[in-house]
C-alpha cells in the first residue's frame, strides 16, 4: 500500500509539472502570436503610410514644378523689364540732349513731352520690376518650403522602407517559433494525458485497495458475534437435566 500511495503522489506531482510546462508553452505561443500580429499590423500600417506619403511627394513635386515654372516666368519678365528700363534710359539721355540742343521752342517742347513720357514709362517699368521681384521672393520661399517638405517626406519614406525588413523578419521569426511551440504544446498535452491516465488507474487501484482493507477489518467482528450463538444452545441443553432429578 505504501508503494501504491507513493506512486499516486509522484504521479500527481508529475501531472502538476506537465500541466505547468504545457501552460508555459501556451503562454509563449500567445506572446509569439501577439508579436506576429503587432508586426503584421505595423507593417500594413507602414505600407499604407508610405503609399500616402508617396502621394504627398507627388503633390509636392507638382507644386514645385508649377512654382519653379512661375519663378522662371517672373525672372524672364523682370529681365525683360530691366532691359526695357535700360533701353528707355538711353532714349531718355538722347531726349535730354535734344532738349538741350533744340533750335526752336517747338522742338524743345516736343522733346520735353517725350522726356516726361519716358520718365513715366520708366517708373512704370521700375514699379513692375519691384512688384514682380516681391512676387518672385514669395514664390521662391514657397519653393524652398516645398523642397523641405519633399525632403522630409523622402527621408521618412526611406526610414520606413528600411524598417520593412525588420517587421518582416519579426513576423517570419515569430511564425516559425510559434510553429515549434505548437508542436511542443502537442507533445506536452500528450505527456499530460498519459500521466493523467496512469494517475487515474493508480488512484482507482488505491481506492479499491482501501475499500478491500476496510471490508477486511469489518469481517472478523461479524464472525465473533456468530461464535457466541453456540453458547446459548449449551444453556438450552441443561434444562432436561433438571427434569430427570424430579
Amino acid at each position: 500500500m505504501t508503494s501504491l500511495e507513493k506512486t499516486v503522489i509522484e504521479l500527481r506531482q508529475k501531472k502538476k509539472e506537465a500541466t505547468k510546462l504545457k501552460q508555459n508553452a501556451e503562454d509563449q505561443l500567445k506572446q509569439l502570436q501577439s508579436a506576429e500580429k503587432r508586426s503584421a499590423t505595423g507593417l500594413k500600417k507602414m505600407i499604407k503610410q508610405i503609399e500616402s506619403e508617396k502621394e504627398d511627394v507627388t503633390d509636392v513635386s507638382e507644386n514645385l514644378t508649377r512654382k519653379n515654372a512661375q519663378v522662371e516666368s517672373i525672372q524672364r519678365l523682370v529681365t525683360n523689364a530691366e532691359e526695357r528700363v535700360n533701353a528707355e534710359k538711353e532714349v531718355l539721355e538722347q531726349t535730354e540732349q535734344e532738349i538741350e540742343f533744340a533750335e526752336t521752342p517747338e522742338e524743345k517742347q516736343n522733346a520735353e513731352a517725350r522726356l516726361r513720357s519716358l520718365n513715366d514709362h520708366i517708373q512704370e517699368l521700375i514699379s513692375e520690376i519691384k512688384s514682380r521681384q516681391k512676387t518672385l521672393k514669395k514664390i521662391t520661399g514657397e519653393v524652398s518650403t516645398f523642397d523641405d517638405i519633399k525632403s522630409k517626406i523622402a527621408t521618412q519614406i526611406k526610414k520606413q522602407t528600411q524598417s520593412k525588413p525588420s517587421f518582416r523578419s519579426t513576423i517570419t521569426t515569430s511564425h516559425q517559433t510559434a510553429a515549434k511551440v505548437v508542436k511542443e504544446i502537442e507533445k506536452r498535452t500528450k505527456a499530460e494525458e498519459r500521466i493523467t491516465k496512469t494517475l487515474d488507474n493508480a488512484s482507482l487501484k488505491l481506492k479499491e485497495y482501501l475499500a478491500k482493507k476496510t471490508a477486511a477489518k469489518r469481517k472478523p467482528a461479524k464472525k465473533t458475534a456468530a461464535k457466541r450463538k453456540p453458547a446459548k444452545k449449551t444453556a438450552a441443553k441443561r434444562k432436561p437435566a433438571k427434569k430427570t432429578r424430579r
Side-chain angles (χ1 to χ4, degrees):
M1 176 183 175
T2 303
S3 177
L4 191 56
E5 287 179 339
K6 185 178 179 182
T7 299
V8 170
I9 292 171
E10 289 176 351
L11 287 170
R12 283 174 180 170
Q13 185 61 31
K14 285 182 179 180
K15 181 182 177 182
K16 185 178 179 181
E17 291 174 356
T19 302
K20 185 178 180 181
L21 289 172
K22 177 186 172 183
Q23 185 63 49
N24 290 340
E26 289 175 344
D27 291 341
Q28 185 183 4
L29 179 61
K30 288 179 182 178
Q31 291 175 359
L32 289 167
Q33 289 174 336
S34 178
E36 183 180 350
K37 185 177 179 180
R38 286 196 305 271
S39 296
T41 302
L43 179 61
K44 186 177 179 180
K45 183 179 179 181
M46 186 182 65
I47 291 173
K48 188 176 180 180
Q49 188 172 356
I50 288 174
E51 291 174 353
S52 176
E53 288 170 346
K54 284 182 178 179
E55 291 178 0
D56 291 341
V57 168
T58 301
D59 292 340
V60 171
S61 296
E62 290 176 355
N63 284 324
L64 271 173
T65 301
R66 186 170 61 254
K67 294 296 180 182
N68 282 324
Q70 289 177 347
V71 168
E72 291 175 0
S73 177
I74 293 172
Q75 284 175 337
R76 284 195 301 270
L77 291 172
V78 169
T79 300
N80 291 335
E82 288 174 343
E83 290 175 352
R84 289 166 62 190
V85 166
N86 292 331
E88 294 287 346
K89 283 182 178 180
E90 289 179 0
V91 176
L92 184 68
E93 290 177 359
Q94 293 175 2
T95 304
E96 288 175 345
Q97 291 177 1
E98 289 178 4
I99 292 172
E100 185 178 352
F101 296 105
E103 295 180 354
T104 64
E106 186 178 356
E107 287 180 358
K108 186 177 180 180
Q109 188 177 0
N110 291 334
E112 287 175 346
R114 288 199 305 274
L115 183 64
R116 286 192 296 272
S117 178
L118 285 169
N119 277 323
D120 291 343
H121 192 216
I122 288 171
Q123 292 303 317
E124 288 177 2
L125 289 172
I126 291 173
S127 178
E128 179 184 337
I129 290 170
K130 287 181 179 179
S131 176
R132 293 192 184 282
Q133 285 176 334
K134 185 178 180 180
T135 304
L136 181 62
K137 184 178 180 180
K138 180 183 176 182
I139 296 175
T140 302
E142 292 174 353
V143 168
S144 178
T145 300
F146 279 122
D147 274 330
D148 290 341
I149 293 172
K150 184 178 179 180
S151 178
K152 288 178 181 178
I153 295 174
T155 301
Q156 186 67 18
I157 290 173
K158 185 178 179 181
K159 287 181 179 178
Q160 290 172 336
T161 303
Q162 290 174 344
S163 299
K164 285 169 70 175
S166 177
F167 276 111
R168 288 198 174 101
S169 176
T170 301
I171 293 171
T172 301
T173 302
S174 298
H175 187 75
Q176 291 175 346
T177 307
K180 293 179 181 179
V181 174
V182 168
K183 291 181 179 179
E184 182 68 17
I185 291 173
E186 291 175 355
K187 179 181 175 182
R188 297 297 180 187
T189 300
K190 289 178 180 179
E192 183 186 32
E193 290 173 351
R194 285 196 301 270
I195 294 171
T196 301
K197 187 176 180 180
T198 305
L199 175 60
D200 290 343
N201 291 334
S203 297
L204 182 60
K205 289 179 181 179
L206 179 61
K207 186 177 180 181
E208 290 174 351
Y209 174 82
L210 292 173
K212 287 179 181 179
K213 186 176 180 181
T214 301
K217 286 181 179 179
R218 289 174 182 171
K219 284 180 180 179
K222 291 179 181 179
K223 287 179 180 179
T224 302
K227 285 179 180 179
R228 288 175 183 171
K229 290 180 181 179
K232 290 179 181 180
K233 289 180 181 179
T234 304
K237 286 179 180 180
R238 289 176 182 172
K239 289 180 181 180
K242 288 180 181 182
K243 289 180 182 180
T244 305
R245 284 179 184 176
R246 290 177 184 176

